[in-house]
Amino acid sequence: MPPMLEICIDSVASAKAAAEGGADRVELCAGLPEGGTTPSAGMIRAVRSAFSGGLMVIIRPRGYDFLFSEEEMEIMLEDIRVARSLGADGVVIGCLTSEGRVDKERVIRLIEAAGPLDITFHRAFDMTRDMGEALEDIIGLGIRRILSSGGQPDVPAGACRIASLVKQAAGRASIMPGGGVTELNLGDLVRATGVDEIHLSARSSVRGGMTFFNPGCYMGSFTKDDEYNWREADPAKVRICKDALNAALAAR
């Protein structure tokens, strides 16, 4: 499998930075502090125009757990149709049962809606009761890529488990590490786990253009500390990551 650097983004500016830095693919999300939720149609359209590489769109109607109601299923099915119509190359999906297993029935419905699109099973995988069992279930569904931190808070903590999953998959599916990967640890993690694809945000802080500040008000719990700073993908960091990935794979 060729090396694949995927950058997790939530804005057009980050899409442009990913393109400038040489990313192979992006995963477009809204709500990154919640682990990623489905972006708007307008955002998908704009990012498709800004980034010519692979465009994966997360299909997740809300944050928190991955046990979805029938109403939420209908939302996801419609969001997949919208993503297809706007030129997405793939979707990022995942559903669990209340017992912590892959909800194969619901995932099959999402796969059917995706049709020819590329599919990644997202980090709902990390919340399963038995990752080895979940891996086999996902492969059995025909999905060939799984985003994972190895069932740990981040990839550095889960690297050993990711390496074990890579061995279990034995080429039947790509295990793509994501969560806590940076330009500083990417090379070591690729060498330690044996993966070919890797996922990170490669972001730097950005200061907004506001000159007036209301220190007594904030718009959400995630912005309480600073309403006027956020993070976007940094093309220099993306390029460093791309070079580190290529070097790590070349050294095998």
Side-chain angles (χ1 to χ4, degrees):
M1 180 179 293
M4 188 66 63
L5 178 68
E6 179 176 281
I7 302 299
C8 183
I9 65 169
D10 63 354
S11 68
V12 177
S14 288
K16 292 179 177 179
E20 183 180 345
D24 303 294
R25 190 171 63 222
V26 295
E27 181 195 13
L28 176 61
C29 306
L32 284 180
E34 294 181 285
T37 55
T38 307
S40 71
M43 181 63 76
I44 297 170
R45 188 188 301 276
V47 167
R48 178 71 288 173
S49 296
F51 187 80
S52 61
L55 170 57
M56 306 293 291
V57 175
I58 193 169
I59 305 297
R60 187 180 177 213
R62 56 166 172 79
Y64 305 98
D65 69 24
F66 301 98
L67 178 65
F68 297 114
S69 68
E70 185 56 32
E71 290 81 5
E72 289 169 330
M73 276 297 299
E74 291 300 324
I75 291 168
M76 290 191 285
L77 292 168
E78 178 61 21
D79 284 339
I80 290 173
R81 287 189 282 270
V82 170
R84 286 183 64 174
S85 72
L86 294 174
D89 296 298
V91 290
V92 184
I93 62 173
C95 305
L96 302 183
T97 68
S98 60
E99 296 82 17
R101 293 186 168 91
V102 174
D103 189 335
K104 291 186 279 188
E105 180 181 342
R106 282 194 159 95
V107 173
I108 287 170
R109 291 169 63 189
L110 298 178
I111 291 171
E112 289 173 347
L117 296 184
D118 192 11
I119 295 177
T120 298
F121 195 97
H122 57 48
R123 288 186 61 204
F125 176 71
D126 290 320
M127 305 304 286
T128 57
R129 65 190 297 159
D130 184 327
M131 297 177 73
E133 174 189 75
L135 174 60
E136 297 301 329
D137 286 343
I138 292 166
I139 291 172
L141 292 169
I143 297 174
R144 296 293 176 256
R145 182 183 306 108
I146 301 171
L147 177 64
S148 177
S149 63
Q152 297 296 318
D154 57 37
V155 174
C160 290
R161 188 59 187 275
I162 291 171
S164 176
L165 291 165
V166 169
K167 291 179 181 177
Q168 180 182 339
R172 296 174 297 157
S174 171
I175 309 299
M176 181 171 63
V181 180
T182 73
E183 72 278 9
L184 301 177
N185 62 21
L186 183 151
D188 288 339
L189 291 170
V190 170
R191 285 185 287 271
T193 57
V195 301
D196 299 298
E197 302 182 272
I198 200 153
H199 168 105
L200 71 160
S201 59
R203 292 185 291 175
S204 293
S205 293
V206 173
R207 186 70 175 173
M210 293 291 296
T211 56
F212 170 77
F213 305 95
N214 179 355
C217 184
Y218 54 90
M219 296 294 106
S221 59
F222 293 117
T223 61
K224 181 177 181 180
D225 293 334
D226 195 339
E227 287 281 342
Y228 305 98
N229 266 335
W230 60 89
R231 296 195 296 162
E232 293 175 353
D234 182 330
K237 287 188 176 183
V238 175
R239 175 56 62 190
I240 291 169
C241 291
K242 180 71 172 177
D243 291 345
L245 176 60
N246 288 334
L249 294 178
R252 285 184 182 170

